[in-house]
Amino acid sequence: MKRFAIIGSALAMHVSLGLFARASDCGALKTPQDLITAAFEQSPKIQRAMKSLEQAAEQEGKAGQFTNPDLESKGVAGRNLGDQIFQVEVSLSQSIDLSGKRSSRVGVARGEKQLSEAELRAAKEEVFLDTALALNRLRQVQLEREILNEA
């Protein structure tokens, strides 16, 4: 029975520490809040969601910008019947968005950003629940271990 308690304790500890990549990066974990904070900092799910949110924020800024104008040039130089000839052709074109295309792009980008924010909140909630459940299980195993030690 003691063997089960030791294995259970080790398993619960492994689960709680396995929620983040490297326990050494988290510093001293003295309270459950420290462990939850470390889990938030090290969770791949949260890191992916944060990068997705950063990308969506950049896309929102990009969607509101005007496109750059196109500049094209052609040049010809040479001689024709003894005369020096230079010919240059320059073309400048600018796209103009009509009928609210730009505002539609900005709206879509804002929606993507809000979706990324919701995904980040969901990832944080999931990591918090996993960490809290692992901590609770660790506490239960420690109590069971104390009861077994008394018996």
Side-chain angles (χ1 to χ4, degrees), residues 27-62:
L29 302 174
K30 296 180 181 177
T31 65
Q33 183 61 40
D34 292 342
L35 185 64
I36 291 170
T37 302
F40 278 0
E41 290 172 358
Q42 299 294 323
S43 171
K45 289 180 184 178
I46 292 177
Q47 289 177 357
R48 270 193 307 271
M50 289 179 73
K51 293 295 181 187
S52 175
L53 179 60
E54 290 172 11
Q55 186 178 18
E58 291 294 324
Q59 290 296 326
E60 183 181 10
K62 183 180 174 184

